[in-house]
Amino acid sequence: MKKILVTGGAGFIGSHLCRRLLDEGNKVICLDNMFTGTYDNIRELYARPGFEFVNADVINPMHIEVDEIYNLACPASPVQYQYDPVMTTKTSFLGALNMLELARKMGAKILQASTSEIYGDPLVHPQTEDYRGNVNTIGPRACYDEGKRVAETLFSDYRRMYGTDARIIRIFNTYGPHMLENDGRVVSNFIMQAIHNKNITIYGDGTQTRSFCYVDDLVAGMIAAMNKADFTGPVNLGNPREMTILELARMIIRKTGSGSQIVYRPLPVDDPVKRKPDISFARKELGWEPQTDIEQGIRKTIEYFRMKY
Ligand code: NAD
Ligand code: UDP
């Protein structure tokens, strides 16, 4: 039985990861400062043997005996990570440093939840892992993008300097149950607006694209990246099915049977025009690819939001 630390474990992705790791018979320590995490997300896990919750902040060094670390602690929605951008940069940098130090001392494996945002507003499409990105270092998204980029640097240097088993995954837009209803991300916004018959807010003209991965698929990819022998990454994990934001809005209106109208709002600064992962590397090295199509995943997500809100 492995003892696994999941930082950011009370958040959207982290809570699903904790559950899956418990299902596989591991001990799981879920660490979170509850900035965007909720007790609701992990309520069902408390009763399970092998689960432990620690309320702590990754910007502080810590000592916990573990075999593996999944480092997810960091707000992920633009609204949330721009709320206190200095804290976001500190969380990304100091969080990665502190977790790497812990991994080095424990001889533990560690996996970093990096992001497609390290490609910025990409000039290569679809994005392959060797693309170095197009990030505005001084824009409002930089606290997150550059924080995640320097975390990748730290992971690579810990591997080179100390031989730490440090792995990097780059997560593309993920959605599903446990997203916060008010965190500002497009899937949760549109579903909340649609089920309450409010206007659907498209930023810009809706021609920008994203590629949405259902959370269960992503979690399977994360565990595969941690378990594969001699694997370092970085590896893209996402669903290559690309769609416009307008297409997503129409799909959600149709699937909820909503009377909502679409309204257009200004496009946020530095909002990437297009995004789609090339997942050839994940297919080849991890034997992984998403199993849930967007219609099916959106249906399950709508069911969750209807039940909860
Ligand atoms: P989330 O906001 O739901 O979860 C992040 C969790 O980290 C929250 O529970 C939050 O309270 C916690 N946290 C934040 N700062 C912390 C700190 N200083 N110390 C301890 N805990 C802290 O977001 P998510 O969508 O679950 O994202 C999880 C990870 O995956 C993040 O690192 C994010 O960058 C990455 N990621 C997510 C997506 C996506 O589409 N969801 C895409 C790319 C990368
Ligand atoms: N978006 C939108 N309406 C919303 C929320 C987001 O049109 O109510 C757009 C946003 O401008 C971006 C896309 O949807 O082009 C995805 O936004 P999200 O914040 O979910 O993720 P990210 O920009 O980080 O990919």
Side-chain angles (χ1 to χ4, degrees), residues 138-173:
I138 56 170
R141 298 176 86 100
C143 57
Y144 182 74
D145 300 10
E146 294 296 348
K148 290 286 188 176
R149 285 172 70 96
V150 80
E152 288 201 5
T153 308
L154 279 173
F155 267 64
S156 307
D157 285 330
Y158 262 71
R159 208 172 49 235
R160 282 187 286 260
M161 276 188 77
Y162 306 116
T164 305
D165 188 343
R167 297 151 182 246
I168 300 168
I169 57 165
R170 293 181 181 152
I171 303 172
F172 283 64
N173 295 67

Side-chain angles (χ1 to χ4, degrees), residues 11-270:
F12 159 49
I13 296 172
S15 55
H16 289 273
L17 177 64
C18 287
R19 194 192 59 237
R20 185 78 69 96
L21 293 170
L22 285 170
D23 289 346
E24 292 181 357
N26 301 291
K27 285 193 168 176
V28 173
I29 303 168
C30 166
L31 183 148
D32 207 294
N33 71 351
M34 302 316 262
F35 176 54
T36 51
T38 68
Y39 289 104
D40 249 17
N41 282 347
I42 51 171
R43 197 172 306 280
E44 53 152 341
L45 306 182
Y46 271 100
R48 298 190 50 175
F51 181 76
E52 192 184 327
F53 175 74
V54 177
N55 192 326
D57 198 309
V58 292
I59 69 168
N60 302 314
M62 59 191 76
H63 182 89
I64 305 177
E65 308 254 322
V66 285
D67 304 307
E68 286 179 1
I69 305 169
Y70 288 83
N71 188 36
L72 275 68
C74 186
S77 143
V79 173
Q80 304 284 11
Y81 69 64
Q82 289 171 30
Y83 173 76
D84 183 345
V86 175
M87 185 51 79
T88 299
T89 305
K90 281 172 80 173
T91 293
S92 296
F93 173 67
L94 293 174
L97 184 65
N98 288 327
M99 291 309 111
L100 281 163
E101 262 308 289
L102 181 62
R104 184 177 73 80
K105 286 186 191 139
M106 290 293 137
K109 281 205 263 183
I110 180 166
L111 180 135
Q112 168 68 358
S114 189
T115 165
S116 53
E117 281 281 324
I118 65 104
Y119 301 122
D121 191 5
L123 305 175
V124 165
H125 194 73
Q127 291 79 59
T128 44
E129 286 87 353
D130 58 1
Y131 176 49
R132 293 182 187 178
N134 176 35
V135 172
N136 176 3
T137 60
I138 56 170
R141 298 176 86 100
C143 57
Y144 182 74
D145 300 10
E146 294 296 348
K148 290 286 188 176
R149 285 172 70 96
V150 80
E152 288 201 5
T153 308
L154 279 173
F155 267 64
S156 307
D157 285 330
Y158 262 71
R159 208 172 49 235
R160 282 187 286 260
M161 276 188 77
Y162 306 116
T164 305
D165 188 343
R167 297 151 182 246
I168 300 168
I169 57 165
R170 293 181 181 152
I171 303 172
F172 283 64
N173 295 67
T174 301
Y175 70 98
H178 295 189
M179 292 183 92
L180 277 184
E181 83 281 11
N182 58 355
D183 82 354
R185 283 186 269 197
V186 69
V187 172
S188 43
N189 271 11
F190 286 1
I191 294 180
M192 285 299 290
Q193 291 163 344
I195 62 180
H196 294 111
N197 289 307
K198 298 211 171 117
N199 288 340
I200 303 264
T201 53
I202 287 191
Y203 304 157
D205 61 8
T207 56
Q208 73 270 35
T209 69
R210 294 293 187 272
S211 308
F212 297 98
C213 184
Y214 190 65
V215 65
D216 289 353
D217 290 335
L218 176 78
V219 165
M222 296 177 87
I223 294 173
M226 180 66 104
N227 290 349
K228 166 98 183 183
D230 302 322
F231 184 76
T232 55
V235 62
N236 290 339
L237 294 180
N239 191 320
R241 156 81 155 88
E242 184 183 10
M243 66 197 302
T244 66
I245 294 305
L246 182 59
E247 201 186 331
L248 176 72
R250 289 190 175 135
M251 178 190 290
I252 290 174
I253 291 173
R254 175 169 48 78
K255 291 187 104 50
T256 50
S258 172
S260 294
Q261 302 296 311
I262 289 177
V263 296
Y264 293 87
R265 298 280 177 260
L267 190 67
V269 177
D270 292 336

Side-chain angles (χ1 to χ4, degrees), residues 275-289:
R275 181 180 291 153
K276 170 184 171 161
D278 181 319
I279 59 163
S280 317
F281 186 59
R283 281 197 178 104
K284 182 166 157 280
E285 288 297 315
L286 304 176
W288 174 88
E289 64 181 350

